[in-house]
Structures are given as structure tokens and as C-alpha cells.
């Protein structure tokens, strides 16, 4: 009953949030706003998008709880999905003074995956890197083929994760000592998506400082 309630409420919240998102973007595109009003509209748009992401996390969480969380797999250009996410976040990060670097190996093949779900993982990890490691002002993304798997790494140059918190960072609702806003569900959802792909999702402190998220996906069909 609890899962059903959360699922229904999340669906109901999506409609007004979609309207708020749409109208805030429409108003921001106009030329008749003074500076204060434009800044206010940017805040409305940003907060509405954050709420939408939280609602989607809740929906995914309830699907995970009752076994309805599934994939739609097909041959996918995973690099295109990753590069779309990077293109989106590079502009956002630049406004915050964060440099986003991207390096990709040559001739990586298409992969069997749910492209939409994997893009969800990429966006969540990039957003998380900025929230917790953005003080380092740099985020590196790399893709390589290693031992029959495609390996995607996202590394920040922030303060890293307290060693005692590392075993728990992927647990549902765990936020540790971080003051960053969020539901505490996103990384657990990413971990589940990677598990359903027969892949792995690892979070560790990087050599030289900062944190690194390593995602692996098998390249064989």
C-alpha cells in the first residue's frame, strides 16, 4: 500500500511540474523580462527541474521495491547517449566555473543496453560529481575497452568521500556527512540499472584526491 501510494502521488506530481517547467522555459525565452525577474524565473526553472528529478527517483524506487523496474535493451550507441549528457552538463558546469573534460578510446562498438536508462545513470553521476566535488573545478570523463567490457569513469577533484562512508554511499536514503541537497535515492537507482545490465557501479576515492565512479558494461551480446 505504501509503495502504491508513493507511485500514485509521484505520477500526480509530474503533471503540474511539467507545466511549471514548460512555462518557465517559455517566459525565459522572451525579451521583455527585467534582470530581477529573469533571475527569479531561472530559479523557478532550476528548482522545478530538481523536483522533477526527485519525483522520477521516487518512481524508480517504488518500481525497484515491487519488482517492476525493468530494461528495454537493444543495440545502442552508448557513446552518443554519454556525449548527449556531457553536452548538456558542460554548459551548466561552465556557468559554475567547472571544466568538464572528455576522453574516449577509438572504435568502440555499439552495445546491447537500455540507452535511456544508461543516459539516466550518466546524468545522475555527472550531477552528483558537481554537487559533491565541484569545489575542485574540474570533472574528467573517460571511456575505454578493458577485458571485454566498456568502462566509463567519472572523476572529480573535490574533497573525496570520508573513508568510513564509502561502504554506504550506494545505499538507499544514505547521505552521510554531505550537505548537498538530494533524495538519497539516485545512486541506488544507478546501481540497480547497472546490475540489471550485468555491469558494475563502483564509487571510490581517486589517487591524488577527489572521487571516481567506475561503470562497466559487458560488450558481448
Amino acid at each position: 500500500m505504501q509503495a502504491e501510494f508513493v507511485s500514485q502521488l509521484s505520477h500526480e506530481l509530474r503533471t503540474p511540474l511539467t507545466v511549471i517547467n514548460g512555462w518557465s522555459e517559455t517566459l525565459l525565452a522572451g525579451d521583455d523580462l527585467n534582470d530581477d525577474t529573469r533571475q527569479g524565473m531561472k530559479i523557478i526553472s532550476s528548482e522545478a527541474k530538481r523536483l522533477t528529478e526527485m519525483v522520477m527517483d521516487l518512481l524508480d524506487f517504488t518500481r525497484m521495491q515491487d519488482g517492476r523496474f525493468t530494461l528495454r535493451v537493444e543495440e545502442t550507441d552508448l557513446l552518443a547517449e554519454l556525449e548527449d549528457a556531457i553536452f548538456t552538463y558542460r554548459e551548466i558546469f561552465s556557468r559554475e566555473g567547472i571544466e568538464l573534460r572528455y576522453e574516449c578510446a577509438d572504435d568502440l562498438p555499439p552495445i546491447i543496453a537500455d540507452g535511456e536508462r544508461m543516459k539516466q545513470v550518466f546524468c545522475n553521476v555527472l550531477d552528483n560529481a558537481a554537487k559533491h566535488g565541484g569545489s575542485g573545478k574540474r570533472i574528467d570523463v573517460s571511456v575505454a575497452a578493458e577485458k571485454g567490457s566498456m568502462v566509463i569513469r567519472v572523476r572529480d577533484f573535490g574533497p573525496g568521500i570520508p573513508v568510513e562512508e564509502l561502504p554506504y554511499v550506494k545505499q538507499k536514503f544514505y547521505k552521510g556527512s554531505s550537505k548537498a541537497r538530494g533524495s538519497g535515492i539516485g545512486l541506488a537507482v544507478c546501481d540497480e540499472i547497472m546490475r540489471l545490465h550485468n555491469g558494475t557501479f563502483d564509487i571510490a576515492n581517486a589517487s591524488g584526491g577527489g572521487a571516481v565512479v567506475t561503470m562497466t558494461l559487458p560488450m558481448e551480446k
Side-chain angles (χ1 to χ4, degrees):
M1 289 174 64
Q2 184 183 47
E4 184 63 24
F5 170 75
V6 173
S7 180
Q8 289 181 359
L9 181 61
S10 299
H11 277 292
E12 290 296 326
L13 286 170
R14 288 174 69 183
T15 300
L17 282 169
T18 299
V19 174
I20 293 169
N21 275 316
W23 273 106
S24 62
E25 292 293 335
T26 299
L27 291 170
L28 276 170
D31 298 324
D32 55 347
L33 300 178
N34 62 44
D35 290 344
D36 287 343
T37 304
R38 184 171 296 279
Q39 183 62 29
M41 289 307 304
K42 286 181 179 178
I43 293 171
I44 290 171
S45 178
S46 173
E47 292 299 289
K49 287 174 181 174
R50 187 169 70 88
L51 276 172
T52 302
E53 289 168 2
M54 291 173 66
V55 167
M56 296 307 296
D57 281 347
L58 276 172
L59 274 171
D60 285 339
F61 175 68
T62 56
R63 291 179 183 131
M64 285 166 57
Q65 293 295 95
D66 61 19
R68 292 183 294 118
F69 194 85
T70 57
L71 303 179
R72 295 180 179 177
V73 296
E74 59 185 356
E75 190 171 277
T76 302
D77 185 351
L78 203 60
L79 294 181
E81 300 292 348
L82 176 60
E83 287 162 7
D84 278 352
I86 288 171
F87 180 82
T88 300
Y89 277 88
R90 180 170 276 148
E91 177 61 28
I92 296 170
F93 290 172
S94 67
R95 293 199 294 264
E96 300 173 10
I98 301 171
E99 181 185 8
L100 180 55
R101 300 183 182 182
Y102 174 54
E103 183 179 341
C104 180
D106 295 328
D107 300 324
L108 287 170
I111 201 166
I112 301 298
D114 184 327
E116 187 174 331
R117 285 294 187 189
M118 286 305 303
K119 187 174 181 179
Q120 179 183 349
V121 172
F122 300 146
C123 289
N124 201 308
V125 170
L126 286 168
D127 185 63
N128 204 62
K131 281 195 294 190
H132 299 283
S135 59
K137 299 302 179 184
R138 175 179 155 194
I139 294 170
D140 289 352
V141 180
S142 65
V143 187
E146 299 178 11
K147 298 178 181 178
S149 293
M150 183 180 290
V151 181
I152 304 107
R153 292 185 176 91
V154 178
R155 188 242 171 116
D156 67 61
F157 290 80
I161 303 165
V163 174
E164 65 274 12
E165 295 181 9
L166 273 173
Y168 310 106
V169 291
K170 293 190 291 184
Q171 290 184 1
K172 295 181 284 289
F173 306 117
Y174 184 80
K175 298 188 72 174
S177 58
S178 173
K179 301 296 188 293
R181 297 182 299 179
S183 64
I185 299 173
L187 291 180
V189 171
C190 290
D191 191 42
E192 178 68 5
I193 291 172
M194 296 304 297
R195 187 190 69 79
L196 290 172
H197 278 92
N198 294 320
T200 62
F201 185 76
D202 295 313
I203 303 173
N205 284 318
S207 176
V212 58
V213 177
T214 304
M215 296 156 275
T216 66
L217 282 170
M219 287 194 290
E220 69 273 10
K221 292 190 178 182

